[in-house]
Amino acid sequence: MTELRDPSPYLRGGDLVATNGLWRRRRSDSRPFVDRLVRHGASGLVYGLEARTVETPEDLVEACRAAGLPLLELAHPHTFSAIAEAVADRRAADGRTRLDHSLRRQEALLDAVARGTRARGVLDVLRRHDGLEAVALDAAGLILAACAGAAELAATARAPAARHAAGDLPIPVALADGRAASALCVETRDGLHGHLVCAGPPAALDDDALEALDQARRFLAVELDRQEEVHRERVRFASELIDLVEAGEARPVETAARLERFGLDLGTGVTVVAVALDPPARDATTVARAIEAAGAGARPALVATRGDEIVAVVPAEPMSTGAEEPDALRTAVESATGSAARVGVGSRADAAAALQRSLAEARHALRLASAGRPVVRWDMLAGHRLLMDLQPPEIADAFERTLLAPLDEHDARRGTDLVRTVEVFLDAAGHWKPAADVLHVHVNTLRHRLDRVAALTGRDLAEMGDRVDFYLALQVRRSRAGRR
């Protein structure tokens, strides 16, 4: 209530202002008074009639009409205090109703979690208690759960492109079909961000809806944590198997049994896919979920990490027949991580030994992939490097040491450069003069050095077979240096 000519310093926005009009000394006072109320966000004006004032002044009525400010008339002998009491009672009743509804929702959410319905149960509570249609997206932007009847929303929901934090108000997000929706961040303990996507724009959400979504978000954060923990354990379990396969120590029965736990049947065929990301993914479980959901729909997949490299075992079909399948997998991973992906694809494997071969092919193909050719398949490969990759590391290293160790020892003892000489000679395709020019020596000096190589190793670089052996040994050394 006010009788000030200028009550604006005391207005906070949304106020219902009450007055008896003592501030009005002349007709021209009404317009400035109303303009000040409107400028400071008043929601309406109540004019109290007294015994000597039988109606609201016409100039005040016109000023409110012109400004679009609602004007109420309080007849005598009703008082402003009676209005205040009525409003306070209504607010208290509304508050009790909202609190009761909030408590019932909280109980329903707890009951849903206790019954094991998890994320789906949480979203069903939102629909049943508040009429909100919503879906939950995991950290990879993939559907974690959807409420009953939300199939269309689940098919079109997308995570927002803009980053926002847990606790922020909903932000607008466009569905795949162009409709407007609202998204809230759901953050895990490890800082990964999932999302709760609700049908309709943020402007359509009232305070009750915002409270309901915030309650649901807290429960979904717990479920997202649980899911991420499960996926981390799956990645650890998968990494152990890939290590055994690469080392040739995985027993066929154990390999088949472990693959079956991931829904993969070695008997019907699987394929190894190697993926590298730039920049590397912060969390491997995000990549794992993206690979599982790639292609035409969710598929079983065993996903392991090897440093910055991701290795996945997926069903051979349609990966081995559809050229578009590896591209779909790459696109899914890039969308989930925001990183550029390169992919190497191995051949079909239906036995443990073939799985080791497919792993070597996929990793070698990955090394040949580039930004210009981000997907390389095993059938695009040929050459000695693949043959060497198929050998166990200890055998390749033993082959390299046997051939080059005598030269290393001679170089270290005598200060010679025999290993470098062999390398340059082979790079020059066995041509004497070009090799001598690179080494800055006379051709006779080069011949003398290669004679010393033959004496130390028993291998003659004039023979094609011995040249191949030296070349492969040098390639093993280069490859090992690149892995360090």
Side-chain angles (χ1 to χ4, degrees), residues 14-43:
D15 303 274
L16 180 62
V17 179
T19 183
N20 289 122
L22 299 182
W23 48 267
R24 179 179 171 276
R25 298 178 182 177
R26 58 185 66 87
R27 293 173 56 87
S28 59
D29 291 340
S30 294
R31 177 60 65 86
F33 181 82
V34 169
D35 287 345
R36 292 186 188 103
L37 297 185
V38 172
R39 208 162 40 241
H40 288 82
S43 61

Side-chain angles (χ1 to χ4, degrees), residues 53-383:
T53 307
V54 296
E55 62 181 10
T56 304
E58 185 62 30
D59 49 277
L60 182 60
V61 173
E62 287 300 325
C64 289
R65 181 181 294 116
L69 181 69
L71 175 62
L72 307 176
E73 188 176 77
L74 181 64
H76 180 74
H78 299 294
T79 64
F80 292 138
S81 59
I83 295 179
E85 290 176 5
V87 170
D89 290 344
R90 178 60 181 269
R91 285 180 175 174
D94 289 345
R96 287 192 297 271
T97 300
R98 290 184 60 185
L99 178 60
D100 182 59
H101 186 72
S102 178
L103 291 174
R104 289 201 307 272
R105 185 194 304 117
Q106 184 83 359
E107 291 174 356
L109 290 169
L110 289 169
D111 182 62
V113 173
R115 287 187 287 107
T117 57
R118 296 177 177 158
R120 168 65 184 270
V122 169
L123 298 176
D124 282 344
V125 169
L126 281 182
R127 176 128 193 181
R128 187 168 61 252
H129 278 250
D130 299 274
L132 296 172
E133 183 180 306
V135 299
L137 306 179
D138 65 12
L142 305 170
I143 292 294
L144 175 64
C147 68
E152 186 177 355
L153 179 62
T156 56
R158 299 290 185 272
R163 289 285 298 223
H164 63 299
D168 289 351
L169 290 174
I171 65 172
V173 61
L175 300 177
D177 58 8
R179 288 182 299 149
S182 305
L184 290 88
C185 175
V186 180
E187 188 172 6
T188 69
R189 289 192 304 267
D190 294 333
L192 297 175
H193 284 190
H195 289 91
L196 174 59
V197 178
C198 177
L205 301 174
D206 59 19
D207 289 343
D208 289 338
L210 292 175
E211 181 184 20
L213 292 171
D214 189 59
Q215 275 187 309
R217 169 167 51 186
R218 299 173 191 276
F219 281 87
L220 290 173
V222 174
E223 176 57 22
L224 200 58
D225 271 324
R226 186 200 67 81
Q227 183 212 51
E228 294 302 320
E229 185 61 37
V230 169
H231 273 86
R232 274 191 289 271
E233 187 63 19
R234 284 169 62 89
V235 169
R236 185 194 65 78
F237 188 78
S239 298
E240 290 179 357
L241 177 59
I242 293 299
D243 287 342
L244 292 172
V245 169
E246 184 176 37
E249 298 175 0
R251 293 177 296 178
V253 174
E254 180 184 5
T255 299
R258 289 204 179 199
L259 289 174
E260 285 179 5
R261 292 192 184 184
F262 288 82
L264 296 164
D265 184 357
L266 188 58
T268 60
V270 296
T271 297
V272 178
V273 179
V275 181
L277 298 172
D278 183 22
R282 185 167 63 116
D283 187 86
T285 62
T286 298
V287 182
R289 285 281 287 135
I291 291 175
E292 290 171 359
R299 79 170 98 207
L302 179 150
V303 182
T305 58
R306 299 185 56 80
D308 291 340
E309 185 178 281
I310 308 294
V311 175
V313 182
V314 298
E317 302 294 344
M319 185 66 68
S320 60
T321 58
E324 72 283 354
E325 287 297 315
D327 283 317
L329 184 147
R330 178 179 63 85
T331 300
V333 171
E334 288 183 339
S335 176
T337 62
S339 299
R342 293 178 290 110
V343 177
V345 184
S347 60
R348 177 192 181 94
D350 53 13
L355 188 62
Q356 184 184 28
R357 180 201 67 227
S358 184
L359 173 61
E361 291 169 343
R363 298 187 69 196
H364 181 63
L366 178 62
R367 288 196 290 273
L368 297 180
S370 63
R373 187 174 62 175
V375 176
V376 176
R377 299 170 57 93
W378 67 275
D379 50 8
M380 300 164 62
L381 306 175

